[in-house]
Each structure stands twice: as structure tokens, then as C-alpha cells.
Amino acid sequence: MASADVIKEAERLMVICNACRYCEGHCAVFPAMELRLSFSAEDLRYLANLCHGCGSCFHHCQYAPPHEFNVNVPRVFDELRGETYARHAWPSFLAPMFRRNGVATGVATALSCIAFVVVGAALSGSTALRAHEGPGAFYKVVPHGLMVVLFGLAFAYAIFAMALACRRFWRESGEPGHRLSASAHRRATFDSASLRYLDGGGDGCTYPTETPSMSRRWYHHFTFYGFALCFAATCVAALYDWLGHPAPYPWWSAPVVLGSAGGVGLVVGTIGLLAIKARSDTAPFPRTGMDVSFLLLLLLTSVTGFLVLFFRATAAMGMLLLIHLGVVMGLFVTLPYGKFIHGLFRYAALARYAIERSKKPDGAAPGV
Ligand code: SF4
Ligand code: SF4
């Protein structure tokens, strides 16, 4: 659907839902909708990003297809979220990466792996394929300075691009005249960290099928906290390095313990999410390349990280490390143009919802 058509369809649905209001206890979208009598394109983009596609409103709706009203909120909001990500992408000429995300992510990661293997092997020569042990062993494969510069630049670029995209989204869809207050941050952080609205109003999402289930919420938790632990492991390792203790580290060290716990979380979470996605009802939940490619990339990051850990004392370490670094670089450079942006826009939408809710006389949203 063209952008104008998605907006028009989302507006049509919200007008019907605002008259019906049956789903007001399912999530934050319906109480936020009830605060409005009409829906601008900005409002609709905000509501779409408040939705996490749990499917409850579709499976409980008396006007869902084959009814002639053809109400399918999760599917239309999914399309509108995709339009929002592309609309605010920075730089704008990379916005098409959202539409062809599976291909873009796959090509970027494959090229990154090839570049690391070719350049890494050329830099370290035949020694790359020897077993290296002891402090600084990884830097015999890729020099320390080169690793710091490459990953520092990639990480800084990803943060900058995502910050600009979020700023654009907030300026367009944020609460007019309101800055993000500490209490809005607190509320949005709690709602995001606990996945508060991923319970379908109590029994769980009607995902992957019509039977309510908490499985998506749990796998999402594994993935999110697994990613957070891996990030924490990288930060601690950087601190160790700065203090003069270069990698690799013993099994019982903080970076390895944190990274292993995070890696297990990523493996369990991403495989679980991919498995339930494969069984999901395609009427409300379209299978987009963006979801699948991000999950596969996270899984690949974790698996290649474990391979480096398990085989770091063997001759395979050099090649495994180069492939792992290529995958991580692919993850970094595609972060602003894939599913990761959903987490940031959703946080901004939850923050706006917290502001709206605080302005209500009773301070609470109806039905939630
Ligand atoms: S999704 Fe259907 S049941 Fe729910 S509020 Fe909208 S029209 Fe009513
Ligand atoms: S799909 Fe779930 S989160 Fe989205 S509007 Fe419907 S009930 Fe709310």
C-alpha cells in the first residue's frame, strides 16, 4: 500500500474502533485512541508505534474479515510502522533498506564477513590460522588499534543515525509542546523493560494463534536481556583492556560470564521467536523479512561468539574470530535500518503515552 493509502486505512479503522471500544483493555493503543475524536497522520503513526502486534484486537474483533468492515488493526499498523521507520531514516537515501531489509541485511553482513576474512588474513598472513593463546591472542589476528577504530566508528555511526531518526519521530509524533520529563522516561522505561502490554490484557497475546499465550513475551525477554548482557560484556571487556588486561579472558571472568549468559539468552530468545513466527497466523501477522533477518543476525552473532569461545585455543580461532567480527560489524551497520529501530520508536510512543496519561484528571488510562 502507498503511504497515503495506509494512513487512510488506519484512520478508517480508528474511527470504527473509537465507536466500538470493545478492546480498550487489551493494550495502550485503545486508551490513547479514546483521547481523540479525529486522527491526523502524526497521531496514527504514534498509535501504530504504540502497537506491538499482539493480535488480541484482531482475534476478539466482530468486524474482522470476512466481515465487510474488514477491521485488521495489527496488519495495518504493521505497515504503518514500516512507513514510519523509512520516513525518519537517516540518511534518507538509505530508507529503502527497510523495504528490502532481508536482502540488505544479508548482503551487508556477507560483505562484512568477506572483508574481515580477506583483510584480516592479509594483515596477519599465515599466522592468522595458527593457535594463539594468552593475553592479546585476538590481536595477533586483527591488530588492536584497527579493531578499536573500525568498531568505534561503526558504533558511533549507528548511535548517531538512530538518535537522529528518533528525534525526527519525536518531533513529528511527540506530544506537542512537551519535553520528555523524568517521570515520562521512568514510566516508558518500566513499560518497555517489563513488556507490560505484551500480555494481551491479562491472558497473553493471541500469538502465534488464537489461543492466548505468554510465549512471545518470554522469548522477547530472553532476546532483549540477552542482547543487554552481551553489550554489558563488551563494555566490561573494553574496561579491562583499558586497564591493561587484553582479551581473551578466563572462563570465570566477568566478560565471559556476562557474554555467555547473554549468548544463551539470545539463542533461546531468537530461536523461540523464529519458531512461533513460523507458526503464526498470517492474516494479522505478515511475515516480514525485517523481523526474520534481525533475529537471524542476532542468532548468528551469538553462535559465532560461542564458537570463538569454545575453539579459541585451536588453529580454527583466527578464522572464527574474523567471521564473528564480520557478523558483529554487519549487525552494527544495519542497526539503524532494521527491526532494532522498533524498540526505540516504541519507547518514544510509550513516553508520549505516559505524558498523555499524566494529563488525565485521574492520572490513569481507561481500561488499563
Ligand atoms: S478491533 Fe474490532 S472489536 Fe476491537 S475496538 Fe476495533 S472494532 Fe472494536
Ligand atoms: S495488535 Fe495488540 S497491541 Fe496492537 S492494537 Fe491490537 S491489541 Fe493493541
Side-chain angles (χ1 to χ4, degrees), residues 234-304:
T234 308
C235 294
V236 175
L239 182 66
Y240 275 28
D241 189 77
W242 185 67
L243 293 173
H245 304 291
Y249 303 111
W251 291 90
W252 40 263
S253 64
V256 175
V257 171
L258 286 171
S260 300
V264 169
L266 279 180
V267 169
V268 172
T270 54
I271 290 179
L273 287 173
L274 284 166
I276 57 175
K277 184 171 280 298
R279 290 195 294 121
S280 66
D281 179 359
T282 52
F285 313 119
R287 302 228 172 93
T288 61
M290 183 154 60
D291 294 355
V292 175
S293 61
F294 184 58
L295 290 172
L296 285 176
L297 196 49
L298 287 178
L299 179 59
L300 205 54
T301 305
S302 177
V303 169
T304 54

Side-chain angles (χ1 to χ4, degrees), residues 51-121:
C51 165
H52 50 75
C54 72
S56 291
C57 62
F58 175 81
H59 288 117
H60 289 87
C61 183
Q62 61 273 39
Y63 305 122
H67 191 282
E68 61 182 324
F69 284 5
N70 192 27
V71 173
N72 190 339
V73 177
R75 179 171 272 271
V76 174
F77 274 4
D78 181 83
E79 248 187 89
L80 190 49
R81 280 194 298 278
E83 188 260 5
T84 315
Y85 305 153
R87 179 181 177 79
H88 298 298
W90 184 91
S92 312
F93 71 83
L94 291 179
M97 282 182 74
F98 283 106
R99 281 188 281 279
R100 304 293 308 272
N101 190 262
V103 176
T105 304
V107 169
T109 307
L111 287 178
S112 167
C113 287
I114 292 169
F116 265 93
V117 170
V118 171
V119 177

Side-chain angles (χ1 to χ4, degrees), residues 21-37:
R21 300 194 171 188
Y22 178 76
C23 296
E24 65 179 8
H26 289 197
C27 67
V29 171
F30 294 95
M33 170 198 76
E34 290 173 12
L35 298 172
R36 296 163 168 79
L37 294 174

Side-chain angles (χ1 to χ4, degrees), residues 102-364:
V103 176
T105 304
V107 169
T109 307
L111 287 178
S112 167
C113 287
I114 292 169
F116 265 93
V117 170
V118 171
V119 177
L123 280 178
S124 52
S126 55
T127 59
L129 301 180
R130 273 201 230 127
H132 302 288
E133 287 188 79
F138 293 158
Y139 306 132
K140 289 174 186 149
V141 181
V142 178
H144 176 266
L146 184 64
M147 234 194 253
V148 170
V149 169
L150 284 179
F151 284 93
L153 284 176
F155 187 65
Y157 171 80
I159 295 291
F160 185 69
M162 290 189 293
L164 283 188
C166 285
R167 187 160 165 262
R168 287 175 172 184
F169 176 62
W170 180 258
R171 284 193 162 181
E172 183 189 71
S173 305
E175 181 74 345
H178 278 81
R179 297 180 71 81
L180 266 174
S181 62
S183 63
H185 270 304
R186 220 174 16 250
R187 187 75 252 173
T189 302
F190 175 78
D191 289 348
S192 307
S194 62
L195 295 180
R196 178 176 173 195
Y197 298 108
L198 224 71
D199 67 354
D203 298 338
C205 298
T206 54
Y207 184 101
T209 62
E210 213 167 322
T211 310
S213 160
M214 289 290 184
S215 58
R216 186 168 176 231
R217 190 181 197 187
W218 282 109
Y219 289 133
H220 205 297
H221 272 313
F222 271 111
T223 306
F224 176 78
Y225 288 106
F227 186 85
L229 283 173
C230 288
F231 185 70
T234 308
C235 294
V236 175
L239 182 66
Y240 275 28
D241 189 77
W242 185 67
L243 293 173
H245 304 291
Y249 303 111
W251 291 90
W252 40 263
S253 64
V256 175
V257 171
L258 286 171
S260 300
V264 169
L266 279 180
V267 169
V268 172
T270 54
I271 290 179
L273 287 173
L274 284 166
I276 57 175
K277 184 171 280 298
R279 290 195 294 121
S280 66
D281 179 359
T282 52
F285 313 119
R287 302 228 172 93
T288 61
M290 183 154 60
D291 294 355
V292 175
S293 61
F294 184 58
L295 290 172
L296 285 176
L297 196 49
L298 287 178
L299 179 59
L300 205 54
T301 305
S302 177
V303 169
T304 54
F306 275 126
L307 288 175
V308 173
L309 180 65
F310 293 145
F311 297 103
R312 60 186 178 172
T314 73
M317 184 273 267
M319 191 54 73
L320 290 173
L321 178 65
L322 291 171
I323 293 171
H324 177 61
L325 293 177
V327 171
V328 175
M329 182 58 82
L331 178 69
F332 275 14
V333 297
T334 56
L335 272 187
Y337 313 107
K339 189 70 183 183
F340 191 81
I341 208 79
H342 144 83
L344 302 177
F345 280 22
R346 183 158 163 70
Y347 180 91
L350 283 167
R352 178 179 179 183
Y353 180 59
I355 293 171
E356 285 187 346
R357 192 165 47 176
S358 70
K359 291 200 294 187
K360 282 184 62 63
D362 59 1

